[in-house]
């Protein structure tokens, strides 16, 4: 089989007045329904007709694939700032997916909606997203110290680098400062274990610096 030397993309957008029964369900279900409705007549018809037309110029289709996506315009929109407050670990593309998925059965109460978004976001992405940082704090028995660590954007936990885990930091809320790039965030120290200091950062505080932290995570490749 010969190798392709052209890649052709042909795209259409259709604005549809659909009955309520078709709109019922989440984004995945809606895409599946429309794919089944279009069927081979549409999804295979386009490559067949295109191949016949290209053959007039001596060209032939070697391979093809299709992509079907749909936006349910009847769904209530969800404020981007609220999504970031609930899930600052998501990328821009993932926030768009969250908006589509979470708009189904989204609670009207703001507090309940935030919890709903958090659950949906963790179901979407629950992996560790680590950003290198430095921790500035006070030692338990006096004196300041700076140690290397990583901040997990997904749940706010902080892991101190292995060589610095013997440092016992002063306990309390807001007693340490994390620096990652140009971001400075206050963190909490709950104590010390064999794995080192037990440190976390509030999700709300991560959300306030979300854009910069996501850029740092993407640049770090972790």
């Amino acid at each position: 089989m010969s190798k392709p030397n052209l890649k052709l993309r042909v795209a259409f957008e259709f604005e549809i007045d659909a009955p309520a029964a078709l709109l019922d369900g989440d984004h995945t279900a809606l895409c599946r329904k429309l794919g089944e409705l279009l069927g081979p007549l549409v999804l295979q018809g386009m490559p067949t007709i295109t191949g016949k037309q290209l053959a007039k110029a001596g060209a032939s289709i070697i391979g093809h694939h299709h992509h079907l996506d749909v936006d349910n315009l009847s769904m209530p929109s969800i404020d981007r700032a609220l999504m970031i407050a609930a899930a600052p670990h998501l990328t821009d593309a993932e926030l768009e997916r969250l908006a589509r998925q979470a708009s189904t059965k989204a609670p009207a109460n703001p507090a309940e909606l935030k919890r709903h978004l958090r659950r949906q976001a963790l179901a979407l992405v629950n992996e560790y997203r680590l950003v290198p940082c430095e921790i500035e704090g006070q030692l338990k028995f006096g004196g300041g110290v700076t140690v290397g660590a990583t901040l997990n954007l997904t749940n706010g936990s902080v892991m101190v680098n292995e060589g610095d885990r013997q440092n016992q930091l002063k306990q309390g809320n807001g007693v340490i400062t994390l620096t990652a790039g140009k971001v400075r965030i206050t963190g909490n120290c709950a104590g010390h274990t064999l794995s080192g200091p037990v440190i976390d950062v509030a999700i709300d505080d991560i959300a306030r610096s979300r854009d910069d932290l996501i850029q740092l995570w993407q640049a770090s490749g972790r």
Side-chain angles (χ1 to χ4, degrees):
M1 181 180 293
S2 60
K3 293 183 179 180
N5 51 19
L6 286 177
K7 181 175 285 188
L8 173 66
R9 298 183 184 89
V10 181
F12 290 88
E13 287 188 357
F14 299 93
E15 296 179 353
I16 301 170
D17 180 12
L22 184 60
L23 299 176
D24 186 35
D26 61 14
H27 178 257
T28 301
L30 185 55
C31 286
R32 184 175 63 252
K33 288 180 184 178
L34 291 176
E36 292 171 352
L37 284 172
L38 296 178
L41 183 63
V42 173
L43 302 180
Q44 299 299 326
M46 176 68 169
T48 300
I49 295 172
T50 301
K52 291 179 179 179
Q53 293 301 109
L54 291 174
K56 296 177 181 179
S60 61
I61 295 178
I62 295 175
H64 66 84
H65 72 279
H66 71 270
H67 173 71
L68 187 152
D69 198 5
V70 59
D71 292 325
N72 190 342
L73 303 180
S74 68
M75 290 292 186
S77 60
I78 299 179
D79 183 64
R80 175 182 169 84
L82 184 57
M83 290 192 293
I84 289 176
H89 66 292
L90 297 185
T91 64
D92 290 346
E94 290 162 350
L95 286 173
E96 291 179 5
R97 289 178 59 191
L98 176 63
R100 291 195 296 265
Q101 295 179 11
S103 57
T104 304
K105 300 179 181 178
N109 179 279
E112 292 178 2
L113 176 57
K114 186 176 180 180
R115 290 192 291 269
H116 173 69
L117 290 171
R118 181 70 181 167
R119 289 193 299 270
Q120 293 285 326
L122 291 176
L124 183 64
V125 176
N126 197 25
E127 65 185 15
Y128 282 12
R129 293 191 162 174
L130 304 177
V131 173
C133 62
E134 287 189 339
I135 296 174
E136 301 171 11
Q138 294 293 317
L139 293 170
K140 183 176 181 180
F141 301 106
V145 67
T146 299
V147 299
T150 52
L151 168 64
N152 182 1
L153 302 184
T154 306
N155 62 15
S157 63
V158 181
M159 179 65 71
V160 175
N161 294 348
E162 186 173 357
D164 293 321
R165 291 176 187 172
Q166 75 282 359
N167 292 293
Q168 295 196 27
L169 301 180
K170 181 180 178 181
Q171 298 181 34
N173 296 329
V175 297
I176 60 174
T177 301
L178 280 75
T179 302
K182 62 182 180 181
V183 175
R184 287 176 66 83
I185 310 177
T186 299
N188 310 310
C189 181
H192 196 280
T193 68
L194 294 177
S195 300
V198 180
I199 298 171
D200 71 271
V201 175
I203 297 298
D204 287 344
D205 290 334
I206 293 176
R208 293 186 186 96
S209 301
R210 177 264 175 192
D211 292 351
D212 290 329
L213 290 172
I214 284 291
Q215 288 181 8
L216 289 171
W217 169 70
Q218 290 173 326
S220 70
R222 299 193 179 197

